[in-house]
Amino acid sequence: MTSAMQQMAAANFKWNVGVGGVGGVGGVGGGGVIPTSCSRRHRVVCCLQPSVGDLGTSEETLPEISISTKGDGIGGRVDLKQLMTEAEQNILHINRGRVLALEKLQKVEREKDLLGARVAQLKAANEASMAECDLLRQKAKQLELSRLVSGHQERAAELLKRFNVNRKTYDPPSIWSDLLLRIDAMTLTGILQIEQAACLRKLVWARDAQTADVFVDLADRADTELAARLLSMTNESRRRGLHIVHICTEMAPVAQSGSVSFYITNLCKALRRKGHLVEVILPKYSSMDLSAVDNLQEVKTDLYINFGDQWYKNRIWTGTVYGIAVTLLESYHPDQFFAREEFYDYKDDFERFTYFCKLSLEYLLKLGKQADILHLHNWQTAAVAPMFWEQYAHQGLQDTRLVLTCHDFKYQCLRDPAKLSIMGLNPGKLDRPDRLQDDSEPCFVNMLKGGIVYSNKVTTVSPTYAADLLTEQFGYDMHVALNTHKNKFIGIYNGLDDTLWDPAVDSALPETYSLETMAGKSTCKAKLRQELGLPMDLDNSVPLVGCILFENSEVDLDLIRAASKCAVGEAAQFVCAVHNNSELGIRPIDKQIDTDPDVRILDSSDLALLHRIVAASDILFCPDVFEPAGQSAMIAMRYGAVPVARQVRGITGCITDVDEKQHKLSQATGFSFYDPHASDATRSLRNAIHYLKRHPQQWPTLIRNCMSKDLSWDTNCVESYEAAYWSLLRA
């Protein structure tokens, strides 16, 4: 009996080695064979006995599982460590599958967003194309008005009639037909070669807007000039345009507060005429003029941003202004950041405009718009720069470059560094002397400085102003930081808005005039003297010295007082008008001047009066210390009023001085003064009056030099901005 029991135990031991030993169940890898009679279900008994209080069992102490079956006497033992390993591998496999599925889902979502962005871009491009007809209509109207002045009424009326249709449905087929016929004529006369004509016809068949622009501008010019301009359009390297997005807080005539609004509109129009894709992003103020926006539409979606650890809803509006794509971002913040009467000068301006900066970047990111250039303006949008490089560039916008234009460095916005956190920036990282920390008050961060440090290029209103900013005297306590980043600085003269300032079509004048027909200027002088009650002379020969000061003009009132006394002392009349600039307080200070019968000092909100003063003046006195807005020297030249202008820190570098000793008048356009003291200014003004009286035959040459000089945005001004943009993309 004992022997039989021992034999059975030995048999069971062999089975255990074969089934539950190396290789696992079934002896896989271990050589075991399962008997064919093993067809019943097995009852598995787990002999796991962890100690009380154990939270788990390590792999080194995993027990085995004892497997036994009733009826056959077959028992086995399985390694739990191996089962756990296999289970972990299965879990990892399942997790990898889940991650792959999630990545595919995210990819689909991104493709969906990109598709939506592409649809929005195509829609904006379509709206811009529809606005081309508006541009053509305006140009045709300007051309018609200029024809009226020069006596070509019939041709101008015919041209105006051709374009006088609804701008939203306008398709000017006659332009293309006329251009094709002109190309044929130039080919027949040998001005164009056959291959050149073929290239131009392709542009016509493609309804190229730039080509139409050039033809409308030069339709009455010589064939050789027209051909040269048209052929330049076939150069693909020159036609390659940039995508430029202006993030700004005003734009004329939609959100018009001061000179910056006109600057942005004129620059955008000039860039667009050069063939660039230009967009503008603005806050949607409740007080803005939405009637100036064509095709205004609300996008039926919400855009959420996190600001100050709270999420806020925003809405998006789109439209066009002068053919420029404009996006208006409407905030639903409970503080109603932009639902106010004015655009600026509130205690929470820092919060208002940093919110707008963050919202603009979120909008660009959501659409996947990687513009070539983001162009920022003043401290209000300077916060875009540090936010862009710290938060957004690595999210797919790394190829975009930033340009900051500062129109007046006096306004910088200093705040507690802790406030940077509301827009997601790290105060500890940015509150440093080489970043946003203010140079003169290190307990604050300086938003304008942040824009300068983080932008790739910084532009100012003139080369002279850019140089002066690097000095301690004129650096507004930022000269240390400005010198550190001086290689970024470039000064660019603003162009003159010839749609606003043009004596040939100026509706504010009693009679228009141009370089070819100057009789209207004498009429303007006589009418203004009559309007202001100035003493009249029979031949209108008494010199009239004008002076206009805009809302942002900075001027020493002693210069005005000295200029008026100088003019009266030289038997001339003096008229000065201040437009919407209550800070000067010029009338209370100078009441004693106003008693002189040949002097008028006027406070006025009537911009048309300033137009009439310039048109009536023989000489325009321009005493501004810094003039970011009016560009009075350029306006004077455009209207044939010889400027006597300050050449320091302003935009009056366009003046070429009269050299009376050398009698060189071929390039002369005015008289300059440099010293801030009144003596230098009055000396130049006296020289101008003397020259007018002593050389009346040469004075018309001086006027001709002034009026013939091209001061528009389409020349050196826009070309300088293009060069600045390209320099960043090629670097």
Side-chain angles (χ1 to χ4, degrees):
M1 187 71 176
T2 303
S3 177
M5 294 291 291
Q6 290 174 348
Q7 291 176 358
M8 291 179 64
N12 282 335
F13 174 77
K14 292 179 180 180
W15 172 254
N16 288 338
V17 172
V19 175
V22 179
V25 178
V28 179
V33 179
I34 299 177
T36 56
S37 60
C38 183
S39 59
R40 300 183 184 180
R41 296 180 180 177
H42 297 79
R43 182 170 62 86
V44 180
V45 180
C46 296
C47 302
L48 300 178
Q49 298 291 335
S51 303
V52 177
D54 285 351
L55 297 178
T57 307
S58 66
E59 291 185 354
E60 292 77 5
T61 60
L62 284 175
E64 296 178 333
I65 297 178
S66 176
I67 302 176
S68 62
T69 57
K70 299 291 185 178
D72 290 331
I74 301 174
R77 187 159 303 189
V78 178
D79 188 352
L80 182 58
K81 183 188 298 183
Q82 181 176 351
L83 291 178
M84 292 285 288
T85 301
E86 292 175 354
E88 288 174 353
Q89 291 175 348
N90 290 335
I91 292 172
L92 289 174
H93 179 72
I94 292 171
N95 285 339
R96 280 196 298 269
R98 185 169 59 181
V99 170
L100 290 174
L102 183 60
E103 289 177 350
K104 289 181 179 179
L105 178 61
Q106 291 174 343
K107 182 178 179 181
V108 170
E109 291 293 332
R110 286 196 301 269
E111 291 175 349
K112 179 181 176 182
D113 289 341
L114 289 175
L115 182 60
R118 180 58 179 160
V119 170
Q121 288 177 337
L122 290 174
K123 182 177 179 181
N126 180 55
E127 292 173 350
S129 297
M130 292 171 63
E132 291 292 345
C133 59
D134 184 47
L135 179 64
L136 294 176
R137 182 180 61 81
Q138 292 177 19
K139 286 183 174 293
K141 185 176 180 180
Q142 292 174 8
L143 187 58
E144 183 268 347
L145 291 172
S146 65
R147 296 294 182 275
L148 288 175
V149 174
S150 59
H152 300 291
Q153 293 91 339
E154 290 186 5
R155 179 179 175 85
E158 180 182 352
L159 186 60
L160 181 61
K161 182 179 179 181
R162 183 184 302 169
F163 295 108
N164 192 19
V165 293
N166 189 302
R167 55 182 163 78
K168 295 183 180 181
T169 60
Y170 176 57
D171 179 25
S174 59
I175 278 288
W176 310 116
S177 299
D178 291 346
L179 181 52
L180 282 173
L181 293 174
R182 189 76 174 267
I183 291 171
D184 292 345
M186 289 188 291
T187 306
L188 291 172
T189 56
I191 296 175
L192 291 175
Q193 299 177 5
I194 294 177
E195 295 79 6
Q196 294 173 329
C199 292
L200 292 179
R201 290 189 187 100
K202 289 181 180 179
L203 296 179
V204 174
W205 295 329
R207 296 296 193 269
D208 184 81
Q210 288 179 260
T211 305
D213 249 2
V214 170
F215 181 59
V216 169
D217 284 339
L218 304 180
D220 61 335
R221 303 289 180 86
D223 284 346
T224 53
E225 183 178 357
L226 176 61
R229 284 291 301 275
L230 289 175
L231 287 174
S232 69
M233 311 296 292
T234 63
N235 187 335
E236 290 300 325
S237 62
R238 292 184 62 184
R239 289 176 57 77
R240 194 267 185 185
L242 295 169
H243 184 189
I244 305 158
V245 176
H246 289 263
I247 301 178
C248 47
T249 55
E250 55 182 278
M251 176 188 184
V254 184
Q256 184 174 320
S257 175
S259 61
V260 178
S261 62
F262 292 100
Y263 161 89
I264 289 169
T265 302
N266 289 321
L267 177 58
C268 289
K269 289 163 66 177
L271 288 169
R272 186 170 175 272
R273 287 193 291 269
K274 287 286 188 177
H276 303 293
L277 174 59
V278 184
E279 299 183 63
V280 175
I281 300 177
L282 290 165
K284 187 177 183 294
Y285 301 104
S286 60
S287 56
M288 69 194 320
D289 183 9
L290 296 179
S291 65
V293 184
D294 294 325
N295 305 312
L296 181 63
Q297 297 180 20
E298 181 182 8
V299 180
K300 301 300 183 182
T301 186
D302 294 330
L303 176 61
Y304 288 86
I305 68 166
N306 188 286
F307 189 77
D309 293 328
Q310 297 289 331
W311 288 92
Y312 299 101
K313 183 178 77 170
N314 307 273
R315 301 304 295 269
I316 304 166
W317 297 72
T318 62
T320 58
V321 177
Y322 296 117
I324 302 162
V326 175
T327 300
L328 308 177
L329 300 180
E330 182 178 13
S331 166
Y332 280 75
H333 193 280
D335 289 339
Q336 297 184 332
F337 283 154
F338 304 110
R340 304 181 185 182
E341 293 183 3
E342 305 294 335
F343 298 162
Y344 307 117
D345 298 328
Y346 292 96
K347 292 182 179 179
D348 59 347
D349 274 0
F350 172 85
E351 289 78 9
R352 297 171 66 226
F353 293 114
T354 53
Y355 182 96
F356 168 66
C357 291
K358 188 174 183 67
L359 180 56
S360 299
L361 287 171
E362 287 289 341
Y363 168 74
L364 293 173
L365 183 65
K366 185 175 181 64
L367 287 181
K369 279 191 178 183
Q370 185 164 227
D372 294 307
I373 301 293
L374 288 185
H375 197 145
L376 318 176
H377 301 272
N378 289 336
W379 79 260
Q380 286 87 354
T381 56
V384 168
M387 276 195 287
F388 178 85
W389 291 114
E390 293 289 339
Q391 298 176 333
Y392 291 89
H394 65 278
Q395 300 187 57
L397 304 179
Q398 64 277 355
D399 291 334
T400 297
R401 294 295 177 263
L402 273 58
V403 174
L404 170 67
T405 294
C406 188
H407 303 262
D408 193 342
F409 282 77
K410 180 172 63 175
Y411 304 102
Q412 301 173 16
C413 187
L414 275 59
R415 289 295 186 274
D416 187 329
K419 283 184 170 290
L420 294 175
S421 60
I422 65 173
M423 48 182 154
L425 294 176
N426 183 351
K429 185 177 180 181
L430 300 185
D431 185 21
R432 292 169 24 181
D434 61 335
R435 298 199 177 175
L436 270 69
Q437 187 180 97
D438 187 68
D439 293 340
S440 60
E441 299 187 51
C443 57
F444 294 109
V445 290
N446 186 320
M447 299 313 299
L448 182 60
K449 178 182 175 180
I452 294 168
V453 171
Y454 278 87
S455 292
N456 302 103
K457 186 75 72 176
V458 180
T459 75
T460 67
V461 294
S462 80
T464 322
Y465 187 47
D468 284 344
L469 287 168
L470 302 180
T471 66
E472 184 175 358
Q473 182 181 2
F474 299 121
Y476 293 107
D477 296 325
M478 292 181 63
H479 60 280
V480 175
L482 297 178
N483 275 278
T484 302
H485 297 273
K486 63 182 179 181
N487 292 334
K488 297 179 181 180
F489 271 73
I490 180 173
I492 301 176
Y493 291 118
N494 293 351
L496 183 63
D497 185 356
D498 53 8
T499 62
L500 180 64
W501 297 99
D502 185 354
V505 294
D506 195 335
S507 60
L509 306 185
E511 184 176 333
T512 58
Y513 61 95
S514 67
L515 186 58
E516 292 76 19
T517 56
M518 290 293 294
K521 185 168 179 62
S522 297
T523 303
C524 291
K525 181 177 178 180
K527 292 289 186 182
L528 181 73
R529 295 169 75 184
Q530 182 179 0
E531 175 185 351
L532 300 181
L534 289 167
M536 306 285 287
D537 58 311
L538 294 178
D539 57 359
N540 215 20
S541 61
V542 174
L544 178 62
V545 178
C547 178
I548 56 173
L549 301 173
F550 293 91
E551 59 270 16
N552 291 333
S553 294
E554 297 179 12
V555 63
D556 185 348
L557 293 179
D558 287 339
L559 291 181
I560 304 296
R561 186 180 294 107
S564 65
K565 291 181 178 179
C566 174
V568 172
E570 298 297 332
Q573 296 175 329
F574 185 82
V575 176
C576 177
V578 182
H579 179 66
N580 289 342
N581 194 332
S582 58
E583 293 183 4
L584 284 180
I586 193 167
R587 192 170 182 83
I589 292 177
D590 292 279
K591 281 185 177 179
Q592 68 274 21
I593 296 177
D594 210 21
T595 59
D596 193 295
D598 285 310
V599 175
R600 295 292 182 273
I601 305 294
L602 309 167
D603 283 321
S604 176
S605 60
D606 183 10
L607 185 61
L609 175 61
L610 273 62
H611 285 241
R612 295 195 295 275
I613 290 174
V614 179
S617 299
D618 299 296
I619 298 168
L620 196 74
F621 182 63
C622 310
D624 295 83
V625 176
F626 168 52
E627 186 185 2
Q631 308 168 64
S632 54
M634 291 184 177
I635 294 170
M637 293 167 63
R638 188 73 179 89
Y639 279 68
V642 176
V644 174
R646 184 183 178 90
Q647 289 274 40
V648 179
R649 299 179 58 214
I651 58 168
T652 56
C654 57
I655 293 178
T656 302
D657 275 312
V658 173
D659 190 342
E660 188 173 357
K661 294 181 180 179
Q662 299 295 327
H663 298 286
K664 293 181 179 179
L665 282 180
S666 59
Q667 303 295 327
T669 55
F671 299 81
S672 301
F673 63 94
Y674 299 84
D675 195 282
H677 298 97
S679 59
D680 194 23
T682 54
R683 185 183 303 111
S684 294
L685 179 58
R686 188 177 296 108
N687 289 341
I689 298 173
H690 286 178
Y691 195 89
L692 171 58
K693 291 183 175 182
R694 293 172 183 172
H695 307 286
Q697 295 83 11
Q698 296 179 7
W699 193 260
T701 302
L702 196 55
I703 292 177
R704 187 177 300 108
N705 292 345
C706 291
M707 297 186 70
S708 60
K709 190 166 184 177
D710 191 349
L711 302 171
S712 69
W713 282 86
D714 295 306
T715 53
N716 293 336
C717 177
V718 70
E719 290 171 1
S720 297
Y721 278 104
E722 285 182 303
Y725 296 154
W726 282 115
S727 68
L728 296 178
L729 299 179
R730 291 169 180 159

